[in-house]
Amino acid sequence: MKVLVTGGAGYIGSHVVRQLLLRGDDVLVLDNLVNGHREAVGVARLEVMDLSDNAGLKRLMKAFQPEAVIHFAAFIEVGESVRNPLKYYQNNTANGFSLLAACQEAGIRKFIFSSTAAVYGTPKAVPIPETASLAPINPYGFSKLFVEQALRDLAAASDFRYVALRYFNAAGADPSGEIGESHKPESHLIPLVLQAASGERKDISIFGTDYPTPDGTCVRDYVHVNDLADAHLKALDYLKDGGESRVFNCGYGHGYSVREVLDAVKRMTGKDFSVVEAPPRTGDPAELVADSRLLTEILKWKPQFDNLNAIIETVWNWELNRRY
Ligand code: UFG
């Protein structure tokens, strides 16, 4: 299939691009390389362009004529979205709408959207089903939710169909060691802990030790990026086979606390490092765990890395040999 991947030089996007190429899809990556990495797209064609470039988008759609679009391009830092909301509404929401308009004009009717567990805000109960109330607690979550809403409306008004995938905590790296997570600055727990283990960082902070969880630290559903990537390929096939528009949670359905992650890294790497107990980070819900039964039942998703040690191993492999 001819697939346009926006943000394909980013963390999750690059793992999806790799799997699409491996199965023989024709892929064009669109990325402005503000946070993405040229090295991450491998042999895929790369168009360096910003989504706000309406004329460029139009030209690209005409030249490539994709059958489907997978849309990752977005800013992802919750804290930054609180400090600078318009940056998120501009890039994630307004540019998302521009992309949808370009798709509509080009007659593209299959669309996969990279959404987030942040649309749930602080959940009333876990695991969280897709039907839980949508109540983001930060502009990042709203910036994605607005695009979800536009997708719903567009699908209701035309023969356009979409799948929105709400990621829980993406983690891990491709086992080849060729691509992995590389954010500057890095804010995600697992890469930061491994950087502490490798000595690149002097310590790791635990943000909050008094949450209502078994050990007092936040619990998250860490899902390996290759399992997430596989969900995108399955979503694409689902739309190709005529599947109706749907939203799916992406997670394993069980979580680990921050302390459990730290312990697992120490065990796996055999390295000790300093741990600092710090105050809670604003906007962190105590526990986020997905109810992903729909993904398993409807998309026949069969995760391969549902194991914290396996996730950590792939990140360690990446951190020791990273190329970007
Ligand atoms: N944490 C620490 N120390 C650190 C970094 C993180 O204790 O140095 C904790 C956080 O407080 C949180 C957990 O580790 O409890 C995981 O934090 P991450 O930053 O790795 O991930 P988040 O859960 O904050 O973020 C993820 C996605 C976001 C999404 C959000 C939804 O990365 O895109 O879930 O809440 F918006």
Side-chain angles (χ1 to χ4, degrees):
M1 205 190 301
K2 268 185 151 183
V3 190
L4 175 68
V5 182
T6 77
Y11 172 41
I12 305 173
S14 61
H15 287 76
V16 170
V17 166
R18 187 181 170 93
Q19 290 195 17
L20 288 170
L21 291 174
L22 280 173
R23 76 170 193 181
D25 282 318
D26 185 2
V27 181
L28 176 65
V29 171
L30 184 163
D31 201 298
N32 63 9
L33 296 183
V34 167
N35 291 318
H37 306 272
R38 192 179 283 278
E39 302 91 321
V41 305
V43 296
R45 274 170 297 165
L46 169 67
E47 181 81 30
V48 181
M49 188 195 287
D50 197 271
L51 279 181
S52 60
D53 179 355
N54 285 320
L57 262 184
K58 210 169 160 171
R59 179 174 43 75
L60 190 134
M61 295 289 188
K62 212 169 170 183
F64 184 58
Q65 304 212 331
E67 190 180 336
V69 171
I70 309 184
H71 176 39
F72 293 99
F75 293 135
I76 60 156
E77 272 184 62
V78 172
E80 184 188 50
S81 80
V82 175
R83 292 189 301 275
N84 194 353
L86 286 181
K87 181 173 175 183
Y88 281 70
Y89 291 127
Q90 186 59 53
N91 191 41
N92 297 4
T93 311
N95 288 350
F97 290 173
S98 299
L99 176 66
L100 288 176
C103 287
Q104 204 179 23
E105 199 180 318
I108 297 161
R109 288 184 282 274
K110 300 181 191 73
F111 195 93
I112 315 267
F113 178 55
S114 161
S115 190
T116 169
V119 298
Y120 298 116
T122 304
K124 290 195 181 73
V126 289
I128 312 170
E130 288 84 353
T131 49
S133 47
L134 301 173
I137 52 170
N138 50 59
Y140 169 71
F142 276 111
S143 74
K144 290 278 183 172
L145 185 57
F146 292 152
V147 178
E148 277 199 19
Q149 185 60 46
L151 289 169
R152 261 187 289 280
D153 296 340
L154 206 53
S158 64
D159 57 358
F160 173 90
R161 286 172 304 122
Y162 74 91
V163 167
L165 297 172
R166 292 180 182 152
Y167 314 145
F168 281 63
N169 284 62
D174 189 76
S176 68
E178 287 172 11
I179 52 175
E181 184 167 10
S182 180
H183 297 121
K184 286 192 179 67
E186 188 52 74
S187 65
H188 291 128
L189 180 67
I190 294 182
L192 288 176
V193 184
L194 283 157
Q195 286 167 16
S198 73
E200 195 182 323
R201 258 164 216 281
K202 69 174 180 24
D203 54 34
I204 182 82
S205 296
I206 299 182
F207 295 146
T209 53
D210 202 18
Y211 282 98
T213 57
D215 68 14
T217 66
C218 286
V219 170
R220 294 288 181 273
D221 187 340
Y222 295 95
V223 52
H224 194 281
V225 65
N226 273 8
D227 283 335
L228 271 186
D230 182 53
H232 293 75
L233 270 65
K234 290 200 157 55
L236 211 51
D237 293 342
Y238 166 84
L239 289 179
K240 196 174 179 186
D241 292 344
E244 61 185 30
S245 296
R246 288 210 80 119
V247 176
F248 296 100
N249 281 339
C250 297
Y252 294 139
H254 51 84
Y256 295 96
S257 71
V258 175
R259 281 197 205 282
E260 283 174 322
V261 171
L262 265 54
D263 290 346
V265 168
K266 285 189 179 179
R267 259 196 324 273
M268 208 283 294
T269 61
K271 308 272 183 198
D272 202 9
F273 45 84
S274 312
V275 174
V276 178
E277 296 196 356
R281 199 168 59 176
T282 314
D284 271 346
E287 192 171 359
L288 287 174
V289 173
D291 176 342
S292 282
R293 279 176 296 180
L294 287 180
L295 191 65
T296 313
E297 284 163 19
I298 297 175
L299 292 195
K300 312 285 178 229
W301 186 58
K302 289 194 190 71
Q304 306 293 312
F305 295 88
D306 180 2
N307 173 313
L308 183 60
N309 290 328
I311 291 177
I312 291 171
E313 242 172 79
T314 61
V315 184
W316 188 228
N317 181 39
W318 163 247
E319 286 294 338
L320 294 179
N321 305 294
R322 58 196 284 171
R323 300 161 188 206
Y324 54 87

